Amino acid sequence: MDWNKDHIRETMLLLETAALHSARENYLDYVSTARLDRSEPIENDELAQAEVASDFAEALDDTLHDYADKLEKLRTIDFGPKLAVNEGAVVKLSGRHFVIAVSTSKFTCQGRELMGISTMAPIFEAIEGARAGETVQFNGRDLTVEDVE
């Protein structure tokens, strides 16, 4: 299948931007609950809840940075035609389509289901450089690279 990779990139950017906005809203919610009203006496329970909320906010802050990094990477990846599995390729692997870019959940584009995988993912190490028709091993299983675009 000839993929419109610009459309794939735009779809992935929209999905990751939505995830970033959702994470940002959660972050702001947690930050607001982490603040204590210093004009009143602070109970131990309130202090403990504020500390937990602060820990969650810190974890969400890391998530916000992860999404921002993903968005920047998606903007800079070369999605041009590929002959072998590499960053920017759309790969059909054992009947499923993957975009070598950033990790994502499953999404639909051009009427087909895809999933983004990062070049840091263990499966990428197994398939990197493979060409259509080649078989690779991952976790003790043979996987056939059916197509690379």
Side-chain angles (χ1 to χ4, degrees):
M1 171 175 194
D2 287 326
W3 290 95
N4 179 339
K5 289 186 174 181
D6 288 333
H7 186 61
I8 292 172
R9 179 198 315 257
E10 289 305 312
T11 301
M12 293 176 81
L13 282 167
L14 287 171
L15 291 170
E16 293 303 309
T17 299
L20 172 64
H21 289 301
S22 176
R24 185 176 290 136
E25 287 176 20
N26 288 336
Y27 175 79
L28 293 173
D29 286 345
Y30 275 118
V31 167
S32 69
T33 62
R35 292 190 186 123
L36 295 172
D37 182 357
R38 305 242 181 236
S39 66
E40 296 180 13
I42 299 170
E43 309 255 339
N44 284 340
D45 186 44
E46 289 175 315
L47 185 60
Q49 288 177 0
E51 286 176 11
V52 168
S54 178
D55 290 343
F56 280 130
E58 188 174 321
L60 284 169
D61 187 47
D62 290 342
T63 301
L64 290 175
H65 290 292
D66 290 345
Y67 283 119
D69 291 345
K70 283 181 169 186
L71 289 169
E72 182 58 31
K73 185 162 184 144
L74 282 169
R75 289 183 186 105
T76 60
I77 290 174
D78 173 12
F79 278 93
K82 309 290 183 214
L83 296 175
V85 177
N86 207 336
E87 189 174 71
V90 175
V91 179
K92 186 175 183 184
L93 184 65
S94 297
R96 295 194 173 140
H97 293 94
F98 299 93
V99 182
I100 311 300
V102 298
S103 61
T104 68
S105 55
K106 293 177 189 175
F107 64 96
T108 301
C109 188
Q110 293 177 243
R112 302 249 180 176
E113 189 175 89
L114 295 119
M115 178 182 277
I117 61 171
S118 163
T119 55
M120 306 306 285
I123 193 166
F124 176 74
E125 186 178 322
I127 63 176
E128 182 179 18
R131 294 176 175 267
E134 293 183 359
T135 300
V136 298
Q137 281 213 330
F138 179 68
N139 285 345
R141 293 181 28 215
D142 287 341
L143 302 175
T144 301
V145 177
E146 297 170 33
D147 194 22
V148 178
E149 291 186 48

